[in-house]
């Protein structure tokens, strides 16, 4: 907001600070550049695309990712295709859409969904998911500066639970690059967002109990994803486990497994496995049963290693 | 129950005084007798409003009072249960708005269809559900309206009312009742409005003398899909009554901050509308009777109910950061819908002791419902994989223990 006077922050309730306090203080510091919109997701994103084509840097908030669907058409058909269809005349690249996503313990059907895979299927968009505060700052700034439209999914469970030192001042984390959180030899575990912490716990558990050495990758950007880092890791370990909260079928794990299977086929020691949410609507009381928790990941690690 | 002086009572019983004489000369009244009450005049858009005199009776008011009081006590109990962490997730309370749904029910039958937003606990009650079904659903128990599967926003009563609302599957936002044509309970803002138009289409197609009520709030009034529904309803003359429960705040945003025009009853443009004092159950009843007759003959109409919610948007919202406590307490003192009916009953000579007895009985019902819900069972794990599809997909689901289950289909949840 300081360095770019064409940056605007808008969405439902952002002016008072937002339902997750992400925009606290912006109204006071930047006045009219941080403003509330009415309750109309399709309008919010469409409006943002219009601004972007005029060279503005709109940072639109969708209050919960579960509500992003009315804006799906705008994102897929307008934002993603503007430059392509106009032969480079216009671009919606200045647009960044932020949305809290993911399980939070009691969110039920409409405050818990993971929607990333719908958007990773859209050429023209970028999809980014941080897993910690320091990641969030660097990745968000990269999205805002990125010349393509970006969707930034913030794992809401981590707003309160994830605490770390964050460097003051501006810095960016490159998009399209995964980060290795733990080096290992026996199996590659890939996740993003809050699930990365589940993988880290599982990795420690099997290290302690079974002496299995896991390499944990935080993908960070899903579209485009870091093919090099992933294949390098799987070529080293020979095994792959992908885990996400979103339902199993056609979740983003499917893309990773398909591509790794092709590229690393001869190196693989075991079939790549996905540990994911059930193919059901996100439940209310059954949330612990639905989610890919540490126990399920551990089971899958052991089964894969012993294949 | 007749209100008579002792002497006329004696004479009347002895058959010595005909009822007409009794009525004319001795100010005695049966509780089913009609009398008139004046309500706030209606504001009208593109239609001639009904007059503001409403006929009612003691009997009717007593019934309304009991329902509204029950709604009030239930929501207060839900508040306490939420604070005690027995209800988790999202919980949107209706206290303050009781007159709207009660008045609507007074004008409708259970053959008319109702669909609303996530603020749906009281709709479940008014459509014939029990406090137990609502409470159990909020607590995520299998006896709940949606079998504990929907939660607060998704209250429904399933077949034969086995257990409760959505069997603990829907939770607070998802209460439903098929027999009473209550289509829930919707978490996504505004999504229920086009659904309401569809309900109306089906009713008209089947040539039923019934209407669909699509309820939404002042926040949802700015959703695009509302206008799509209005256009379709207008184009095809659907018997749908769009009820905007204007409690003046969309979560924390005052109506004037979110809407260019906050005269919601006019926002249907070519579709007529009425603005009604939503804190007065009799005004609501009269306007809805008018609306139903209009909708059946002509097509859609918008009803803006000027109402108020005492609680915040949900239990996560204290409700006082965007409104003054003065505003809330003034509303309670001057326009409380439940108190208004109570005062009217007393003014008409209804026995205060009878009111107290009824209140006591309602409190007991609510307390019992809470206790039973606390003790009730949560839905069994197998229900996670039930009823996603009719013919379950060819896919085994892995459980936490490492076993596999086949998804199932059984809308009765018989096991």
């Amino acid at each position: 907001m300081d360095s770019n006077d064409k940056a605007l922050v808008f969405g439902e309730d952002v002016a008072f600070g937002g339902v997750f306090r992400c925009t606290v203080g912006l109204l006071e510091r930047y006045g009219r550049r941080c403003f509330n919109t009415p309750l109309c997701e399709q309008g919010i994103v469409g409006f943002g695309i219009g601004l972007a084509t005029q060279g503005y840097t709109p940072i639109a908030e969708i209050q919960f990712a579960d509500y992003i669907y009315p804006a799906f058409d705008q994102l897929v058909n307008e934002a993603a295709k503007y430059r392509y269809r106009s032969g480079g005349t216009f671009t919606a690249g200045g647009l960044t859409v932020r949305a809290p996503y993911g399980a939070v313990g009691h969110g039920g059907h409409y405050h818990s969904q993971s929607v990333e895979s719908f958007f990773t299927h859209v050429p023209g968009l970028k999809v980014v998911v941080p897993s910690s505060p320091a990641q969030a700052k660097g990745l968000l700034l990269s999205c805002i500066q990125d010349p393509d439209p970006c969707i930034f999914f913030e794992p809401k469970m981590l707003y309160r639970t994830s605490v770390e030192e964050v460097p003051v001042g501006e810095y960016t984390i490159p998009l399209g690059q995964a980060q290795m959180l733990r080096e290992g030899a026996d199996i590659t575990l890939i996740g993003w967002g809050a699930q990365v912490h589940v993988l880290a716990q599982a990795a420690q558990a099997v290290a302690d109990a079974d002496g299995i050495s896991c390499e944990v990758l935080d993908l960070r950007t899903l579209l485009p994803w870091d093919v090099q880092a992933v294949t390098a890791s799987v070529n080293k370990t020979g095994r792959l486990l992908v885990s996400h909260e979103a339902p199993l079928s056609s979740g983003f794990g499917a893309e990773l497994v398909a591509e790794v299977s092709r590229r690393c086929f001869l190196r693989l020691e075991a079939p790549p496995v996905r540990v994911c949410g059930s193919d059901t609507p996100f439940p209310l009381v059954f949330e612990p049963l639905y989610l890919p928790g540490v126990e399920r990941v551990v089971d899958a690690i052991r089964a894969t290693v012993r294949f | 129950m007749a209100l008579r002086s002792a002497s006329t009572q004696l004479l009347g019983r002895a058959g010595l005084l005909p009822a007409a004489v009794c009525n004319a000369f001795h100010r005695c009244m049966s509780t089913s007798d009609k009398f008139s009450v004046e309500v706030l005049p209606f504001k009208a858009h593109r239609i001639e409003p009904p007059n503001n005199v409403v006929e009612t009776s003691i009997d009717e008011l007593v019934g309304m009072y009991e329902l509204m009081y029950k709604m009030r006590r239930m929501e207060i109990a839900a508040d306490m249960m939420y604070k005690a962490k027995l209800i988790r997730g999202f919980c949107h309370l209706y206290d303050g708005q009781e007159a709207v749904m009660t008045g609507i029910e007074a004008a409708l039958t259970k053959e008319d269809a109702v669909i609303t937003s996530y603020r749906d606990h009281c709709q479940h009650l008014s459509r014939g559900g029990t406090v137990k079904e609502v409470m159990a659903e909020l607590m995520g128990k299998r006896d709940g309206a949606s079998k504990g599967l929907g939660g607060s926003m998704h209250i429904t009563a399933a077949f034969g009312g086995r257990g409760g609302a959505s069997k603990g599957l829907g939770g607070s936002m998802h209460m439903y009742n098929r027999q009473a044509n209550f289509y829930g309970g919707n978490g996504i803002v505004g999504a229920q409005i086009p659904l309401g138009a569809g309900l109306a289409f089906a009713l008209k197609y089947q040539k039923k003398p019934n209407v669909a009520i699509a309820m939404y709030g002042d926040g949802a009034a700015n959703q695009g899909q509302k206008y799509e529904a209005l256009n379709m309803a207008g184009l095809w003359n659907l018997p749908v009554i769009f009820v905007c429960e204007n409690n003046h705040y969309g979560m924390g945003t005052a109506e004037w901050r979110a809407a260019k025009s906050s005269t919601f009853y006019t926002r249907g443009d070519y579709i007529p509308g009425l603005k009604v004092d939503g804190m007065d159950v009799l005004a609501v009843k009269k306007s809805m009777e008018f609306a139903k007759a209009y909708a059946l003959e002509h097509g859609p109409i918008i009803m803006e109910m000027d109402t108020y919610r005492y609680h915040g948007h949900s239990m996560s919202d204290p409700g006082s950061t965007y409104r003054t406590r003065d505003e809330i307490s003034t509303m309670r003192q001057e326009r409380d819908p439940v108190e208004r009916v109570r005062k009217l009953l007393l003014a008409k000579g209804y026995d205060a002791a009878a009111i107290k007895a009824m209140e006591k009985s309602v409190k007991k019902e609510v307390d019992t419902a809470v206790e039973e819900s606390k003790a009730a069972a949560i839905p069994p794990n197998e229900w996670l994989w039930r009823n996603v599809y009719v013919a379950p997909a060819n896919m085994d689901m892995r459980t936490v223990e490492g076993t596999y289950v086949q998804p199932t289909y059984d809308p009765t949840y018989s096991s």
Side-chain angles (χ1 to χ4, degrees):
Chain A
M1 296 288 265
D2 277 332
S3 59
N4 180 349
D5 63 2
K6 289 190 151 184
L8 304 168
V9 171
F10 53 89
E12 294 157 22
D13 302 304
V14 299
F16 87 92
V19 290
F20 293 108
R21 299 166 50 80
C22 296
T23 49
V24 166
L26 294 183
L27 173 66
E28 287 72 20
R29 284 166 69 175
Y30 304 106
R32 295 172 58 199
R33 288 165 58 201
C34 175
F35 57 93
N36 285 338
T37 60
L39 212 168
C40 49
E41 287 73 20
Q42 184 170 24
I44 289 168
V45 173
F47 169 86
I49 293 169
L51 279 171
T53 59
Q54 297 297 298
Y56 279 80
T57 305
I59 304 158
E61 177 180 298
I62 298 293
Q63 197 162 85
F64 282 85
D66 313 60
Y67 310 156
I68 203 168
Y69 305 112
F72 194 70
D73 175 65
Q74 286 289 340
L75 286 165
V76 173
N77 279 329
E78 308 302 322
K81 300 175 169 58
Y82 222 124
R83 180 190 300 120
Y84 191 88
R85 74 185 185 205
S86 68
T89 311
F90 291 113
T91 172
L95 175 69
T96 303
V97 174
R98 295 178 39 249
Y101 89 98
V104 71
H106 50 262
H109 308 301
Y110 302 119
H111 295 78
S112 318
Q113 290 177 39
S114 292
V115 306
E116 70 274 9
S117 69
F118 294 110
F119 299 96
T120 56
H121 191 54
V122 184
L125 294 179
K126 289 190 176 167
V127 179
V128 181
V129 186
S131 62
S132 77
Q135 300 285 321
K137 175 171 174 176
L139 290 169
L140 180 58
L141 286 173
S142 287
C143 285
I144 292 169
Q145 292 171 17
D146 194 276
D148 294 309
C150 297
I151 309 182
F152 188 74
F153 289 115
E154 302 167 3
K156 67 174 83 69
M157 181 64 120
L158 300 185
Y159 282 137
R160 289 195 188 155
T161 61
S162 183
V163 180
E164 75 177 347
E165 295 273 329
V166 178
V168 174
E170 196 171 321
Y171 67 93
T172 55
I173 294 175
L175 300 186
Q177 280 188 25
Q179 183 182 54
M180 188 189 304
L181 294 182
R182 182 184 180 118
E183 208 172 326
D186 298 328
I187 181 171
T188 301
L189 310 181
I190 300 185
W192 49 91
Q195 194 62 12
V196 155
H197 304 284
V198 174
L199 294 182
Q201 283 178 54
Q204 190 59 49
V206 298
D208 294 340
D210 313 272
I212 297 176
S213 160
C214 299
E215 184 149 294
V216 180
L217 291 189
D218 176 4
L219 209 55
R220 303 196 299 193
T221 304
L222 306 193
L223 179 66
W225 58 282
D226 194 343
V227 180
Q228 277 210 316
V230 171
T231 49
S233 176
V234 177
N235 279 330
K236 183 171 73 165
T237 64
R239 297 176 187 86
L240 173 65
L241 183 154
V242 184
S243 189
H244 53 68
E245 284 177 21
L248 176 72
S249 296
S250 299
F252 191 63
E255 162 70 17
L256 295 171
V257 167
E259 199 55 24
V260 164
S261 298
R262 186 180 71 82
R263 291 174 184 250
C264 308
F265 183 75
L266 292 175
R267 176 66 187 90
L268 286 169
E269 302 288 333
V273 70
R274 297 174 289 164
V275 183
C276 304
S278 284
D279 284 332
T280 67
F282 197 104
L284 180 65
V285 294
F286 300 122
E287 180 169 321
L289 196 55
Y290 165 95
L291 286 176
V294 178
E295 301 86 3
R296 278 174 60 195
V297 175
V298 163
D299 275 359
I301 293 172
R302 289 178 176 147
T304 306
V305 166
R306 290 168 193 164
F307 183 76
Chain B
M1 187 178 107
L3 304 157
R4 294 192 169 116
S5 66
S7 56
T8 50
Q9 208 166 6
L10 206 56
L11 291 167
R13 245 191 260 134
L16 294 173
L17 269 185
V21 174
C22 180
N23 284 342
F25 292 113
H26 296 274
R27 289 180 63 242
C28 55
M29 206 166 68
S30 143
T31 56
S32 56
D33 285 355
K34 297 224 187 289
F35 55 89
S36 293
V37 177
E38 218 176 82
V39 298
L40 264 184
F42 306 104
K43 290 205 178 131
H45 169 74
R46 292 191 188 246
I47 195 169
E48 206 41 54
N51 66 41
N52 61 327
V53 175
V54 187
E55 267 202 346
T56 185
S57 67
I58 296 279
D59 281 344
E60 182 179 46
L61 284 175
V62 166
M64 285 173 162
Y65 183 75
E66 181 168 1
L67 179 57
M68 288 165 65
Y69 190 75
K70 195 180 294 191
M71 289 175 173
R72 179 65 61 91
R73 297 304 317 178
M74 180 180 75
E75 296 295 72
I76 290 173
D79 170 284
M80 295 194 316
M81 290 305 108
Y82 192 91
K83 286 171 177 156
K85 294 196 199 274
L86 289 167
I87 295 174
R88 301 195 65 221
F90 297 86
C91 190
H92 311 81
L93 300 178
Y94 199 73
D95 52 317
Q97 299 184 210
E98 297 90 351
V100 176
M101 200 55 216
T102 307
I104 290 175
E105 291 292 359
L108 300 183
T109 70
K110 295 296 184 286
E111 298 304 310
D112 298 306
V114 172
I115 192 168
T116 186
S117 70
Y118 43 76
R119 205 174 297 281
D120 64 344
H121 309 165
C122 298
Q123 275 77 356
H124 185 75
L125 268 193
S126 75
R127 288 265 101 184
T130 66
V131 179
K132 162 90 186 288
E133 283 164 0
V134 174
M135 277 294 150
E137 187 61 34
L138 295 183
M139 294 192 199
K141 302 298 176 75
R142 61 187 293 166
D143 292 344
S146 302
K147 312 220 170 9
L149 298 169
S152 159
M153 301 196 203
H154 308 116
I155 301 200
T156 70
F159 312 73
R162 182 187 180 261
S166 303
K167 303 190 175 46
L169 299 169
S172 144
M173 300 192 231
H174 308 117
M175 311 255 177
Y176 302 85
N177 185 327
R178 177 183 282 267
Q179 288 91 340
N181 286 300
F182 175 41
Y183 292 85
N186 293 279
I188 299 295
V189 171
Q192 72 274 16
I193 307 175
L195 265 70
L199 294 173
F201 187 99
L203 290 170
K204 181 169 179 170
Y205 195 87
Q206 294 166 72
K207 295 191 166 47
K208 288 188 173 164
N210 297 110
V211 294
I213 315 291
M215 302 176 77
Y216 59 96
D218 44 293
N222 302 315
Q223 274 274 313
Q225 53 194 324
K226 172 191 163 199
Y227 298 92
E228 293 180 10
L230 284 173
N231 185 48
M232 287 191 284
L235 202 55
W236 301 323
N237 295 318
L238 301 181
V240 50
I241 304 172
F242 295 100
V243 175
C244 177
E245 293 188 276
N246 182 9
N247 58 25
H248 309 285
Y249 298 91
M251 219 157 75
T253 303
E255 58 188 321
W256 56 272
R257 288 188 198 272
K260 172 68 177 176
S261 159
S262 48
T263 50
F264 297 99
Y265 69 107
T266 67
R267 284 184 52 184
D269 184 16
Y270 40 80
I271 292 181
L274 281 185
K275 180 163 173 167
V276 182
D277 177 3
M279 304 301 264
D280 183 350
V281 67
L282 292 177
V284 175
K285 174 186 113 147
K286 172 97 188 219
S287 64
M288 289 302 295
E289 284 169 345
F290 176 83
K292 177 168 175 176
Y294 179 86
L296 284 173
E297 194 177 334
H298 300 287
I301 182 170
I302 297 181
M303 307 295 285
E304 179 185 341
M305 301 290 175
D306 181 358
T307 183
Y308 200 82
R309 53 166 164 80
Y310 295 138
H311 273 85
H313 162 75
S314 70
M315 287 303 298
S316 320
D317 169 23
S320 52
T321 55
Y322 50 85
R323 334 183 267 187
T324 61
R325 291 190 198 277
D326 267 348
E327 178 185 291
I328 305 171
S329 57
T330 306
M331 200 55 82
R332 261 193 214 276
Q333 278 154 29
E334 295 178 8
R335 293 181 67 199
D336 184 276
V338 183
E339 193 51 32
R340 179 194 224 111
V341 177
R342 195 168 158 279
K343 280 193 184 124
L344 182 55
L345 277 171
L346 291 173
K348 290 295 176 187
Y350 192 69
D351 186 10
I355 293 183
K356 268 233 165 353
M358 180 230 290
E359 287 176 357
K360 196 163 167 209
S361 153
V362 165
K363 277 188 202 162
K364 185 151 184 282
E365 183 183 339
V366 171
D367 289 341
T368 309
V370 168
E371 290 312 308
E372 285 179 359
S373 299
K374 279 190 205 171
I378 61 169
N381 289 346
E382 297 78 61
W383 290 7
L384 170 61
W385 301 290
R386 181 167 294 177
N387 296 338
V388 179
Y389 291 105
V390 171
N394 194 8
M395 215 170 269
D396 290 334
M397 309 249 176
R398 190 193 167 94
T399 68
V400 174
E401 296 84 28
T403 54
Y404 288 88
V405 294
Q406 260 282 312
T408 55
Y409 175 69
D410 173 11
T412 65
Y413 291 91
S414 54
S415 63

